[in-house]
Amino acid sequence: MNRIETKQIKDVKLKEPILVEGLPGIGHVGKLVAEHMIAELGAEKVMEIYSSHFPPQVIVLADGTVRLVRSEFYAVDTGDQHLLILVGDHQSATNDGHYELTDAYLQMAVKNGVKRIYTLGGYGLGQLVDTPAVLGAVNNLALVEEMKQYGVVFKENEPGGGIVGASGLLLGFGALAKIDAVCLMGETSGYLVDPKSAQAVLKVLCKALNLDISMQALEERAKEMEKIVARVREMEQAGMHEVTSEEDLRYIQ
Amino acid sequence: MNRIETKQIKDVKLKEPILVEGLPGIGHVGKLVAEHMIAELGAEKVMEIYSSHFPPQVIVLADGTVRLVRSEFYAVDTGDQHLLILVGDHQSATNDGHYELTDAYLQMAVKNGVKRIYTLGGYGLGQLVDTPAVLGAVNNLALVEEMKQYGVVFKENEPGGGIVGASGLLLGFGALAKIDAVCLMGETSGYLVDPKSAQAVLKVLCKALNLDISMQALEERAKEMEKIVARVREMEQAGMHEVTSEEDLRYIQ
Amino acid sequence: MNRIETKQIKDVKLKEPILVEGLPGIGHVGKLVAEHMIAELGAEKVMEIYSSHFPPQVIVLADGTVRLVRSEFYAVDTGDQHLLILVGDHQSATNDGHYELTDAYLQMAVKNGVKRIYTLGGYGLGQLVDTPAVLGAVNNLALVEEMKQYGVVFKENEPGGGIVGASGLLLGFGALAKIDAVCLMGETSGYLVDPKSAQAVLKVLCKALNLDISMQALEERAKEMEKIVARVREMEQAGMHEVTSEEDLRYIQ
Amino acid sequence: MNRIETKQIKDVKLKEPILVEGLPGIGHVGKLVAEHMIAELGAEKVMEIYSSHFPPQVIVLADGTVRLVRSEFYAVDTGDQHLLILVGDHQSATNDGHYELTDAYLQMAVKNGVKRIYTLGGYGLGQLVDTPAVLGAVNNLALVEEMKQYGVVFKENEPGGGIVGASGLLLGFGALAKIDAVCLMGETSGYLVDPKSAQAVLKVLCKALNLDISMQALEERAKEMEKIVARVREMEQAGMHEVTSEEDLRYIQ
């Protein structure tokens, strides 16, 4: 077994597609957006990527079957443009693996003639946020002004800790491959799965891609989450700690 | 030294054997079942597997001798069918190693024409359980109904954290190799070696394999454990914490 | 992608240069000194080094653009001598990587005919220090007396825990390559970025290299830090703990 | 750079030597014994072993010079027999490295025709022990009775957690290479460097090797340690915690 195995599911011809990456991360913001897009746009799976760098486990599905941890590329023609959407179960569990997997993702982008990459993530504030802004980072200075038009905020040297994982490395590797790339980060507490932050990111992305996507499913999840957050706040005020059990979070994922 | 070394102990001809995996894990449930089966059925060792992915240590035996950490395949003809049983001292200590070792286990399965795999483990509830159920997960939807007939319970998306280690990966890898595989997980606290949970799993497996195996040894170990659990509960009620010392657990292993 | 990639930025002919290494470490002392030298001496970048051993992230710059984590060599002719200066964002994130990266740094040194190496770092005392001394360690006994002339202090078997990372390994590898090397360690609390300790190290290095470099920028940063330290001390006296927030530190970096 | 580099220091012809391993471990018992033997017997260094599996640092010596972390083989002719003694600064810092380094140590043993291996270590009891026993483990059952004659104690399945690192793996690898090997473990608290436990192990080893080695240096270190232990006990009785500072321990190392 090689350390990374790709499995082509469908052979598609894409014309200068835009790559949207939404792998798991802070608040699962990027993952929520990308999975929402796949569902709403009816994107088709074109490739699966397996790797011994992923956590050594299988995912249990609703019907009792399991599958290996993997990343997936989906493709869709929105009329205006072709999209490639990258989602997955986990980021790499090893240091080298982050680099190797991003390299594999980028090779897929190059092979399909990707002309721009949007990587999506959360920006952890450490506290609950009512109206999440969307921060940006780019791998080509010329993109800053364009992104500002869509409402993206740029803060000097933020995030100070850098952008970790595929969302960051795709910008760095993209620069080497001369592919413009933008990272959109929705402000989020960092403690909870955050569909509200995902909505903020999706709105920006829809402007940038000139897309019209229903937000309803994300709104509903955001409302569910609001209820949990309210309960958390109540319990915090009542002096209780560690109330946000994993079960709560899993329920609304 | 290669990262994985296999050492054939005995050359056996097996006819479409069933592979039963019981490597260490939650509550050592799978390991208890598989070792019990080897003892009761008089299975013979056919292969040893050594790896630098295992923890870097030797096991000290009762007679003062030591041996390297390893996994082992045993084989037995039950009359109705041939069984291959996989047991071992430890799971992989490295991320990649889980994938590489499972690949080695699966190659052994393929080479011997294995037609079905049962992987055994525990399902940690975080609290003591009086009548452990046996949860299932499969790599082929057609197996769900069959397993339900043997009393296996399927819960949507459970375990939520996935199935970690060889018990999970063998299902995922098995699917790629077109070998049907089932994971049987006995409910257990997750804090103690759990022969009662092992009995529950073994009962299901005996039905599935149409086997008749004495449970006496497991029952005796379960009784010993009951005594320790009773003591733990008493001490908990008396307000004492951390009473389940490692020594207690080692005693009954 | 290889585990280490070097990218030549400029082709320079250097004559028996001195290599000064200032990668991140305790109190960021070495990094502060080396970056200060690059700025004050107007050194030019000659090489970038990328590696999958670095943390898997990108650095976000002031203008909103990002770049991969990397190390860099700068070169400058000070009139008296040629200098090669090694700086970077991070040390290796893996055990092997420290060895592999140091090997790459040393190959660059050998290729350029480096005749001596100075590695710079901090020596953590665990408490605030008013007048930081500069400790030394060498890879050739003959260097001890010379270094003492510049005010370097040698304490038997100190640091007791060894010198970790590139600052240490470059001395060890340098010895194998017959290149004299000295490690200069400024005393520092180990809790804060420490421009005062950096000044102490730079003063020693200027004597050793017969250089005259303005300390003004470091002095200003040291004053800013003094204010923070004063505030920390006040708050400590007031009984408050964990007051040195990451934000404070980032502010003055 | 390879992951393991050996450097021959002296070419010696050894006749069926005994290998004694004393790398760092619990209570530094093995290391104390082996270094004491090298000093008392006047053994000569014959090989150095470097590896990127060791911690990425250099050791600072008393004279201000440094050297890479390494293991070393020493050789001596005691009149009765030839001894090879293996000492070092650190065990492997990576999982695979334990296996790879032990393999390198064993290759050296095989190349020199080693007929028996003694690995030395501590057996942590978690509390101070006045008269440390010496536990044994072997890789050939025939050795148990011989070792009992020298006062070695064998306890069923002890140590329960196995023997970790080179002291254990050399027995396991030795068995594969048909070299008899014994692990001698001096009882020790596990909290302190323990020259008293080292004396107990050395006495057994002297009987086994029919050697007469002065214990004076170890006795003196044991007395120094007794004083520290007495102080620790006093302070514990006075209700103070964490009094055994690292400095204390380093002082007597």
Side-chain angles (χ1 to χ4, degrees):
Chain A
M1 182 200 182
N2 292 318
R3 299 214 289 187
I4 295 180
E5 302 264 6
T6 58
K7 184 178 169 189
Q8 185 159 326
I9 303 297
K10 200 181 154 115
D11 192 14
V12 289
K13 290 262 176 287
L14 299 171
K15 204 181 151 189
E16 295 195 333
I18 307 288
L19 171 60
V20 176
E21 172 270 331
L23 293 166
I26 301 170
H28 277 214
V29 173
K31 184 175 162 80
L32 286 173
V33 174
E35 290 182 349
H36 182 81
M37 289 175 72
I38 289 168
E40 296 293 330
L41 297 172
E44 283 184 307
K45 184 160 32 168
V46 294
M47 181 178 275
E48 292 170 0
I49 297 175
Y50 297 88
S51 173
S52 61
H53 291 299
F54 287 134
Q57 59 177 81
V58 288
I59 307 290
V60 184
L61 306 178
D63 63 4
T65 61
V66 304
R67 60 171 181 72
L68 290 169
V69 169
R70 69 187 179 211
S71 292
E72 300 171 330
F73 280 98
Y74 286 79
V76 65
D77 180 351
T78 68
D80 280 354
Q81 66 212 322
H82 289 176
L83 292 184
L84 257 182
I85 304 175
L86 170 59
V87 290
D89 302 309
H90 286 278
Q91 297 259 355
S92 171
T94 70
N95 197 85
D96 287 24
H98 279 287
Y99 284 87
E100 288 184 26
L101 282 162
T102 300
D103 191 38
Y105 301 151
L106 193 83
Q107 281 175 28
M108 176 72 173
V110 168
K111 204 182 113 191
N112 284 280
V114 163
K115 68 173 175 184
R116 181 176 290 188
I117 300 170
Y118 288 95
T119 70
L120 312 179
Y123 179 79
L125 295 178
Q127 55 187 31
L128 295 167
V129 49
D130 282 325
T131 316
V134 176
L135 270 75
V138 298
N139 72 353
N140 177 346
L141 190 56
L143 294 163
V144 171
E145 285 313 309
E146 182 190 338
M147 288 303 129
K148 282 183 177 169
Q149 290 169 28
Y150 309 133
V152 178
V153 176
F154 288 83
K155 290 190 188 171
E156 216 173 288
N157 294 104
E158 290 289 331
I163 303 171
V164 178
S167 284
L169 292 180
L170 273 172
L171 267 64
F173 279 46
L176 300 180
K178 313 268 183 221
I179 301 178
D180 281 358
V182 179
C183 179
L184 299 176
M185 293 161 278
E187 286 184 343
T188 179
S189 69
Y191 305 138
L192 302 162
V193 171
D194 194 343
K196 197 202 260 179
S197 179
Q199 277 181 281
V201 170
L202 183 55
K203 277 178 196 161
V204 166
L205 193 59
C206 281
K207 279 187 211 162
L209 297 176
N210 197 24
L211 270 179
D212 188 22
I213 294 179
S214 161
M215 302 271 170
Q216 202 184 334
L218 279 178
E219 269 161 23
E220 279 164 20
R221 291 188 70 173
K223 275 179 202 155
E224 284 184 78
M225 186 50 90
E226 286 290 313
K227 286 180 205 156
I228 290 168
V229 167
R231 224 167 73 216
V232 169
R233 279 181 165 155
E234 268 173 43
M235 288 166 108
E236 276 178 355
Q237 283 165 3
M240 283 176 280
H241 296 293
E242 295 187 51
V243 290
T244 322
S245 78
E246 259 185 65
E247 229 160 321
D248 285 342
L249 295 185
R250 204 186 304 153
Y251 173 68
I252 58 88
Q253 268 182 16
Chain B
M1 181 198 182
N2 293 318
R3 299 214 290 188
I4 295 180
E5 303 264 6
T6 58
K7 183 178 169 189
Q8 185 159 328
I9 303 297
K10 201 180 153 115
D11 191 16
V12 290
K13 290 261 175 288
L14 299 172
K15 205 180 148 189
E16 295 195 333
I18 307 287
L19 171 61
V20 176
E21 171 271 330
L23 293 167
I26 301 169
H28 276 214
V29 173
K31 184 175 162 79
L32 286 173
V33 174
E35 290 182 349
H36 181 81
M37 289 175 73
I38 289 168
E40 296 292 330
L41 297 171
E44 282 183 307
K45 185 160 31 167
V46 293
M47 181 177 275
E48 292 170 359
I49 297 176
Y50 296 88
S51 173
S52 61
H53 291 300
F54 288 134
Q57 59 178 81
V58 289
I59 307 292
V60 184
L61 306 178
D63 63 3
T65 61
V66 305
R67 59 172 181 71
L68 289 169
V69 169
R70 67 186 181 214
S71 292
E72 300 171 331
F73 279 98
Y74 286 79
V76 65
D77 180 350
T78 68
D80 280 353
Q81 67 212 321
H82 289 177
L83 293 184
L84 256 183
I85 304 174
L86 170 59
V87 291
D89 302 308
H90 287 279
Q91 297 259 356
S92 171
T94 71
N95 197 84
D96 286 24
H98 280 287
Y99 284 88
E100 287 183 27
L101 281 162
T102 301
D103 191 39
Y105 301 150
L106 194 82
Q107 280 175 28
M108 176 73 174
V110 168
K111 204 182 115 194
N112 283 281
V114 163
K115 68 172 177 186
R116 182 176 290 189
I117 299 169
Y118 288 95
T119 71
L120 313 179
Y123 178 79
L125 295 177
Q127 54 188 32
L128 295 167
V129 49
D130 281 326
T131 316
V134 176
L135 270 75
V138 298
N139 72 354
N140 177 346
L141 189 56
L143 295 164
V144 171
E145 285 314 309
E146 182 191 339
M147 288 303 129
K148 282 182 177 169
Q149 291 170 27
Y150 309 133
V152 179
V153 177
F154 288 83
K155 290 191 187 169
E156 216 173 288
N157 294 105
E158 291 288 330
I163 304 170
V164 178
S167 285
L169 292 179
L170 273 172
L171 269 63
F173 280 45
L176 300 181
K178 313 269 184 221
I179 302 177
D180 280 358
V182 179
C183 179
L184 300 176
M185 292 160 278
E187 287 183 343
T188 179
S189 69
Y191 305 139
L192 302 162
V193 171
D194 194 342
K196 196 201 261 180
S197 180
Q199 277 182 281
V201 170
L202 182 55
K203 278 179 195 160
V204 166
L205 193 59
C206 281
K207 281 186 210 161
L209 297 177
N210 197 26
L211 270 179
D212 188 22
I213 295 179
S214 161
M215 301 271 171
Q216 200 183 335
L218 279 179
E219 268 161 24
E220 278 162 22
R221 291 190 70 172
K223 274 177 203 156
E224 284 183 76
M225 185 52 91
E226 286 292 313
K227 285 179 205 158
I228 290 169
V229 166
R231 224 168 72 215
V232 169
R233 277 180 167 156
E234 268 174 43
M235 289 166 107
E236 276 178 353
Q237 284 163 4
M240 282 175 280
H241 296 294
E242 293 187 52
V243 289
T244 323
S245 78
E246 258 185 67
E247 231 161 318
D248 285 341
L249 296 184
R250 205 188 302 156
Y251 174 68
I252 59 88
Q253 269 181 16
Chain C
M1 183 200 179
N2 293 318
R3 298 213 290 186
I4 295 180
E5 302 265 5
T6 57
K7 183 178 169 190
Q8 185 159 327
I9 303 297
K10 200 181 153 114
D11 191 14
V12 288
K13 290 264 175 285
L14 298 172
K15 205 181 149 188
E16 295 197 332
I18 307 288
L19 172 60
V20 176
E21 172 270 330
L23 293 167
I26 301 169
H28 276 214
V29 173
K31 184 175 163 79
L32 286 173
V33 174
E35 290 182 349
H36 181 80
M37 288 175 73
I38 289 168
E40 295 293 330
L41 297 172
E44 283 183 307
K45 186 164 24 171
V46 293
M47 182 178 274
E48 293 170 359
I49 297 176
Y50 297 87
S51 173
S52 61
H53 291 300
F54 287 133
Q57 59 177 81
V58 289
I59 308 291
V60 184
L61 306 179
D63 63 3
T65 61
V66 304
R67 59 172 182 71
L68 290 168
V69 169
R70 67 186 180 212
S71 293
E72 301 171 331
F73 279 97
Y74 286 78
V76 65
D77 180 352
T78 68
D80 280 353
Q81 66 211 322
H82 289 177
L83 293 184
L84 257 182
I85 304 175
L86 170 59
V87 290
D89 302 310
H90 286 279
Q91 298 259 355
S92 171
T94 71
N95 197 85
D96 286 24
H98 280 287
Y99 285 88
E100 288 184 27
L101 281 163
T102 301
D103 191 37
Y105 301 150
L106 194 82
Q107 282 175 26
M108 176 71 173
V110 168
K111 204 182 114 193
N112 284 279
V114 162
K115 68 173 176 184
R116 180 176 289 188
I117 300 170
Y118 288 94
T119 71
L120 312 179
Y123 178 79
L125 295 179
Q127 54 186 32
L128 295 167
V129 49
D130 281 324
T131 316
V134 176
L135 271 74
V138 298
N139 72 352
N140 178 346
L141 189 56
L143 294 164
V144 171
E145 287 313 309
E146 182 191 340
M147 288 302 129
K148 282 182 178 170
Q149 292 169 27
Y150 309 134
V152 179
V153 177
F154 287 83
K155 290 190 187 170
E156 217 173 288
N157 294 106
E158 291 287 331
I163 303 170
V164 178
S167 284
L169 292 179
L170 273 172
L171 268 63
F173 280 45
L176 300 180
K178 314 269 185 220
I179 301 178
D180 280 358
V182 179
C183 179
L184 300 175
M185 293 161 277
E187 286 183 343
T188 178
S189 70
Y191 304 139
L192 302 162
V193 172
D194 194 342
K196 197 202 261 180
S197 180
Q199 276 182 282
V201 170
L202 183 54
K203 277 177 195 161
V204 166
L205 193 59
C206 281
K207 280 186 211 164
L209 297 176
N210 197 25
L211 269 180
D212 187 23
I213 295 180
S214 160
M215 302 270 169
Q216 201 184 333
L218 279 178
E219 268 161 24
E220 278 163 21
R221 291 189 71 172
K223 274 178 204 156
E224 285 183 77
M225 185 50 90
E226 286 290 312
K227 286 180 205 158
I228 291 169
V229 167
R231 225 168 71 216
V232 169
R233 278 179 166 158
E234 268 173 44
M235 288 165 109
E236 276 177 356
Q237 283 164 3
M240 283 176 280
H241 296 292
E242 293 187 52
V243 290
T244 323
S245 77
E246 258 185 66
E247 231 162 317
D248 285 342
L249 296 184
R250 207 187 301 154
Y251 174 69
I252 59 88
Q253 268 182 15
Chain D
M1 182 199 181
N2 292 318
R3 299 214 288 187
I4 295 180
E5 302 265 5
T6 58
K7 184 179 170 190
Q8 185 159 328
I9 303 297
K10 201 181 152 114
D11 192 14
V12 289
K13 290 262 174 289
L14 299 170
K15 204 180 151 191
E16 295 195 334
I18 307 287
L19 172 59
V20 175
E21 172 270 330
L23 292 167
I26 301 169
H28 277 215
V29 173
K31 184 175 162 80
L32 286 173
V33 174
E35 290 182 349
H36 181 81
M37 289 175 73
I38 289 168
E40 295 293 330
L41 297 171
E44 283 183 306
K45 187 164 24 170
V46 294
M47 182 178 275
E48 292 171 0
I49 297 175
Y50 297 87
S51 173
S52 61
H53 291 300
F54 287 134
Q57 60 176 81
V58 289
I59 308 292
V60 184
L61 306 178
D63 63 3
T65 61
V66 304
R67 59 171 182 72
L68 289 169
V69 169
R70 68 187 181 211
S71 293
E72 300 171 330
F73 279 98
Y74 286 78
V76 65
D77 180 351
T78 68
D80 280 354
Q81 66 213 320
H82 289 177
L83 294 183
L84 256 182
I85 305 175
L86 170 60
V87 291
D89 302 308
H90 287 277
Q91 298 259 356
S92 171
T94 71
N95 197 84
D96 286 24
H98 279 287
Y99 284 88
E100 288 183 27
L101 282 163
T102 301
D103 191 38
Y105 301 149
L106 194 82
Q107 281 175 28
M108 176 71 174
V110 168
K111 203 182 114 193
N112 284 280
V114 162
K115 68 173 176 184
R116 181 175 290 187
I117 299 169
Y118 288 95
T119 70
L120 312 179
Y123 178 79
L125 296 178
Q127 55 187 30
L128 295 167
V129 50
D130 281 325
T131 316
V134 176
L135 272 75
V138 298
N139 72 353
N140 177 346
L141 190 56
L143 294 164
V144 171
E145 286 313 308
E146 182 191 338
M147 288 303 129
K148 281 182 178 169
Q149 291 169 28
Y150 309 133
V152 179
V153 177
F154 287 83
K155 289 191 187 168
E156 217 173 287
N157 294 104
E158 292 288 331
I163 304 171
V164 178
S167 284
L169 292 179
L170 272 173
L171 267 64
F173 279 47
L176 300 180
K178 312 270 185 220
I179 302 177
D180 281 359
V182 179
C183 179
L184 299 176
M185 292 160 278
E187 286 183 344
T188 179
S189 69
Y191 304 139
L192 301 162
V193 171
D194 194 342
K196 198 201 259 179
S197 180
Q199 277 181 281
V201 170
L202 183 55
K203 277 178 195 160
V204 166
L205 193 59
C206 281
K207 280 186 210 162
L209 297 177
N210 197 26
L211 269 180
D212 188 22
I213 294 179
S214 162
M215 301 271 171
Q216 202 184 333
L218 279 178
E219 267 161 24
E220 278 163 22
R221 291 189 71 171
K223 274 178 202 156
E224 283 183 76
M225 186 51 92
E226 285 291 313
K227 286 180 205 158
I228 291 169
V229 167
R231 226 167 71 215
V232 169
R233 277 178 167 159
E234 268 174 44
M235 288 166 109
E236 277 178 354
Q237 283 165 4
M240 282 176 279
H241 296 293
E242 292 187 53
V243 289
T244 323
S245 78
E246 259 185 66
E247 231 162 318
D248 285 342
L249 296 184
R250 206 188 301 155
Y251 173 68
I252 59 88
Q253 268 182 16

